Each structure stands twice: as C-alpha cells, then as structure tokens.
Amino acid sequence: MANAAAPRVIDLRSDTLTKPTEAMRRAMAEAEVGDDVYGEDPTVNRLEAEAARLMGKEAGLFVTSGTMGNFVSALSWCNRGDELLCGVDAHLLVNEMGSIAAFGGVQMRALPNDKRGLMNPDDVEMAVPPGGYFPRMALLTIENTHNRGNGAAYTVEQMRPLAEAARAHGMAVHIDGARIWNASVALGVPPSELVSVADSVTFCLSKGLSAPVGSVVTGSAEFISRARRVRKMAGGGLRQAGVLAAAGLVALNAMVDRLAEDHANAKRLAEGLAAIPGFSVDPAAIETNIVYAELDDGDGPGTAVRLRERGVLSNGRFNWVRFVPHYGVTAEDIDEALDAVESAARAGGR
Ligand code: TLP
C-alpha cells in the first residue's frame, strides 16, 4: 500500500536544516581522501587552503562545527584563568554549553551589547584592569553576523574600534563568523576585508551554504598549528574527512551568491510579520537571513506550537519566535508561512 503523502512543512527553525545539494553528494562520493591526522587528505588540504585564501589568512583548519571552531580558537589564544571578552548575547557565551569555560578554564566576561549585538569600544577599555592581581585579558570575540542581533552584519568600520581597543591592551581578536558569508553578501564586501580586523575567524559551511557538516578556522600558520593540537585534544582529528570537505568546497564555489535570496525572503517575512497583530518586528532591522519577532503575549514556546500545528516550524523561546529562511525555502513558502502565522495569531486570541 502506498504511503499517504506527508503533510508539507515549511521549516524555518534554522539555516542548519539545509540538506546537501546533488552536486555536494556527487563530490562527496567521488572525493579523493587520505588520513587527515597525518595531513594527507588532499580534499581537506584543498578546503583549508581555499578557506585561508578567501579569508586573507595564512592557514585554515577544518573542524566539525562552529562550536568546535570557537572552542579551538579560544583555547589557542587563552590559558586557564585568562579572560575572554564577548557581548552579553554572544552565541559562544549563551549557546555553546559553556565549553570554553568548562574545558579551557577560561573566564568569559560579558560586555553590554546593543540590539544589533554590537559592543562599544569604551566598554572594552573599561574592562581593562588597572594592573595588579587580575586575570590576564587574552581575547576579544566579535560575532558577525550576529545571531541574536537579528542577523546584523557589521562593517569593518564598526568592528575596527573594538579590535583596536582590544589590541591596545594585548588581546587577540577572534571573529565568530558562523555566517560571515551572509555579512559579505549583504554588505557587498569580500569576507577577507571584513575579517581583516581579526587574528582568527571561524566560519560555517553547514548553515546557509548548505554543506552537511563542518566549519573552518583560519588565522596565521602559527595559530593554526596550535589550533590543530587543540582540535586533536578535543577528539576532532578526523581521518578520511575529505568526504565532508568535498561538500564544503562545493558550498564555497556554488552556494555563496544565492544567500541574497535568503536575505530577500527574510525581509519579505519581516514585512509580513510587522502587519500581524501581536508580533513586533522592524523590517528595516533585517539585514540578512535571521528574523526574531517579539510577542505581545510573551509566549514564544506557545506560539511555536501553534505554528507547528499549521505546518510552520520556528524556534520559540522566552518572548520571541525566530525564523531563518534558507536554501529550499521560496518566496511562496514565505507567503504560506505568513498565512499560518496570521491563523496562529487569531488562535492565540490576538
Ligand atoms: N547557531 C544555531 C544554534 O546553535 C542556535 C542556530 O540555529 O542559529 N556561532 C553562531 C553565531 C551560531 O549561530 C552558531 C549556531 C554557532 C556559532 C555554532 O555552530 P554549530 O551549530 O555548527 O556548532
């Protein structure tokens, strides 16, 4: 007996939900591989070199996830008891299970950030101790685009004063560029220029770029050799990882320019949401592919349940729901999702 067709679902929980393209699957099947812990996987080596070239850095390191990229970077810059400065809404502070503190013994200090997630250089200055017995401040991290900041994309000019304040006090600068390609496309600026203010950067292949697995850390050759040791320590020394890196190379070659479509869909969604009672969004604040809507009734989880019942998946926490358009989601899907939100809003008594 044939199965009944599954009901259609529009999945806007995250751009991590993207599935690999046909070209990626072919490249994975045909990838030339070797043992990457011996440095002998030609496909991983190619991906690392290409990532470094695109970011304008000396070397790259393939890691399993954005979390691992931030982790190996932080532990390569900081010793136990050192301090890492980040914004209070930084993904690596809020969403990475405290890994940097737990395994690295690094104290993470949160600085205020604005609605776009951007910190103020004066707060970096104010965090600097007057000398004496204080933790060594080793690293400043900047997230670009900023997840909780509605996907805000920072320009070099916005990041430079932060980086300069950090460097003036001996800190290194790391960019959590999980979505640096979205920033690059939105601003029309090559990523190498955006990350020129940083000593290291992690970017993800597995989000809007649609690869199934992987991120790349880039920086100086010396930094990457330290990061390679930390990766091995964390169990991240993969062997024939070329099957994964092959999809990453396709992601970089074929999936960057189309991110503009996700940005247009996010804007379309935000404009529609702004007209629905009970949902607060400023469409002008949507710079890339992430849309947070604040809810008058403060019920993020309940709203997400009502949306799920209507075939739309979102992330609902606290007083917000988050939607992230991505590869495979069309403008028509966005219009359908908006119909579902309207119906959920009515069901919620708005
Ligand atoms: N973000 C995920 C969730 O963890 C929230 C998402 O769905 O947005 N930096 C930033 C800015 C991120 O948004 C994420 C993932 C990461 C790092 C971690 O990447 P992964 O999930 O590959 O470890």
Side-chain angles (χ1 to χ4, degrees):
M1 201 175 83
N3 286 332
R8 215 174 91 77
V9 166
I10 301 170
D11 196 339
L12 297 171
R13 283 173 298 171
S14 181
D15 47 8
T16 60
L17 272 304
T18 43
K19 305 249 168 75
T21 63
E22 279 309 313
M24 286 178 187
R25 289 175 188 272
R26 258 195 321 276
M28 292 172 81
E30 291 163 9
E32 219 187 312
V33 295
D35 190 327
D36 181 47
V37 173
Y38 287 80
E40 291 174 6
D41 188 302
T43 312
V44 172
N45 291 343
R46 257 201 307 136
L47 174 66
E48 291 179 344
E50 180 64 357
R53 187 185 70 77
L54 291 165
M55 296 294 147
K57 305 289 184 209
E58 277 176 4
L61 181 69
F62 183 60
V63 291
T64 53
S65 65
T67 301
M68 186 181 272
N70 287 332
F71 177 80
V72 301
S73 300
L75 269 65
S76 301
W77 290 122
C78 305
N79 296 316
R80 298 185 75 80
D82 284 351
E83 241 176 19
L84 172 163
L85 300 185
C86 60
V88 68
D89 291 321
H91 190 279
L92 58 72
L93 178 69
V94 180
N95 296 99
E96 297 181 12
M97 311 302 291
S99 57
I100 295 168
F103 301 117
V106 177
Q107 176 157 291
M108 290 194 270
R109 172 127 62 123
L111 301 185
N113 57 231
D114 65 17
K115 274 181 93 74
R116 296 175 75 238
L118 195 60
M119 293 168 281
N120 184 328
D122 293 344
D123 289 319
V124 174
E125 289 290 343
M126 275 166 59
V128 176
Y133 293 110
F134 292 93
R136 183 180 79 105
M137 293 199 343
L139 184 64
L140 173 77
T141 67
I142 304 172
E143 189 175 313
N144 195 9
T145 65
H146 198 286
N147 186 335
R148 190 63 189 88
N150 261 315
Y154 308 143
T155 61
V156 188
E157 291 70 32
Q158 287 167 329
M159 292 185 287
R160 188 174 289 121
L162 286 164
E164 282 173 357
R167 284 226 181 75
H169 297 286
M171 283 175 257
V173 178
H174 172 73
I175 291 184
D176 174 0
R179 296 185 179 83
I180 197 73
W181 289 102
N182 294 83
S184 163
V185 167
L187 297 166
V189 169
S192 55
E193 198 177 317
L194 290 178
V195 304
S196 60
V197 298
D199 301 288
S200 60
V201 56
T202 300
F203 72 85
C204 294
L205 300 159
S206 59
K207 299 197 164 57
L209 299 185
S210 307
V213 176
S215 295
V216 190
V217 182
T218 65
S220 70
E222 191 268 331
F223 163 79
I224 289 296
S225 73
R226 277 185 280 138
R228 198 173 287 280
R229 292 182 66 81
V230 181
R231 182 187 72 169
K232 187 75 175 76
M233 202 191 286
L238 303 180
R239 301 297 177 170
Q240 285 71 34
V243 290
L244 303 175
L249 281 163
V250 176
L252 291 177
N253 288 333
M255 301 300 283
V256 169
D257 292 344
R258 64 149 307 285
L259 293 174
E261 195 181 319
D262 300 340
H263 300 172
N265 282 335
K267 188 72 107 179
R268 186 184 187 95
L269 181 67
E271 281 162 359
L273 288 171
I276 298 175
F279 286 74
S280 296
V281 186
D282 175 9
I286 307 306
E287 301 172 29
T288 59
N289 67 332
I290 299 182
V291 181
Y292 283 85
E294 283 182 12
L295 304 162
D296 287 357
D297 71 0
D299 186 11
T303 303
V305 169
R306 285 191 292 282
L307 285 171
R308 179 180 279 268
E309 287 162 2
R310 289 160 177 79
V312 173
L313 303 188
S314 62
N315 263 312
R317 313 244 159 87
F318 308 107
N319 65 336
W320 49 257
V321 272
R322 187 189 76 159
F323 305 92
V324 188
H326 53 75
Y327 177 61
V329 173
T330 62
E332 293 73 45
D333 293 332
I334 296 297
D335 293 343
E336 233 179 90
L338 284 167
D339 290 343
V341 177
E342 245 178 332
S343 152
R346 276 196 303 274
R350 294 191 178 94

